[in-house]
Amino acid sequence: MADTSQAEQPRGLSVGSEAADGVLVVTLTGEIDHHTGGLLAQALGVPDGTPARIVVDLGRVTFMDSTGVNILVSAHRTLTGSGGWLRLAAPTPPVLRTIQLVGIDTVIDCHPTLGQALAP
């Protein structure tokens, strides 16, 4: 009998993070959808009242649906409300298209490279 459990799982999302000059860089790889959105929300969660600066590196994200859009907007509101900020970096063409279609780039700073997003 063949093991089919792997075929039934979503492609997934891996999340890495590291601090760079007081900025948390969250690096994502994979797809952001309703199956994986919890990982993204958890990675962007900050304690209430803590001003945080976060850059989300989207350079290895192949797909993002409305789940990702909603999580990013929510994180942006939370961070700016506590004196911090959220920036998006290096979105791939399909993700950039989603960002532009829904207008996130008019609300959240979106930069073509990680270096530009990290610049003061």
Side-chain angles (χ1 to χ4, degrees):
M1 180 180 236
D3 180 10
T4 59
S5 60
Q6 186 70 19
E8 295 172 355
Q9 295 177 357
R11 289 184 189 225
L13 178 70
S14 68
V15 178
S17 63
E18 64 180 308
D21 296 324
V23 177
L24 178 65
V25 177
V26 176
T27 303
L28 307 174
T29 304
E31 298 183 353
I32 303 169
D33 59 22
H34 69 281
H35 294 290
T36 62
L39 289 172
L40 176 58
Q42 183 178 4
L44 298 179
V46 294
D48 289 338
T50 303
R53 299 178 300 161
I54 299 176
V55 172
V56 179
D57 183 352
L58 299 168
R60 293 184 200 100
V61 176
T62 57
F63 174 81
M64 181 173 72
D65 68 7
S66 61
T67 302
V69 169
N70 291 330
I71 291 167
L72 291 173
V73 169
S74 177
H76 168 73
R77 286 183 180 152
T78 299
L79 291 167
T80 57
S82 66
W85 49 254
L86 177 70
R87 295 179 183 167
L88 307 179
T92 57
V95 173
L96 180 59
R97 179 162 166 74
T98 299
I99 287 169
Q100 291 173 334
L101 282 172
V102 298
I104 290 179
D105 57 331
T106 64
V107 177
I108 302 172
D109 288 338
C110 187
H111 301 271
T113 68
L114 180 58
Q116 290 171 328
L118 288 170

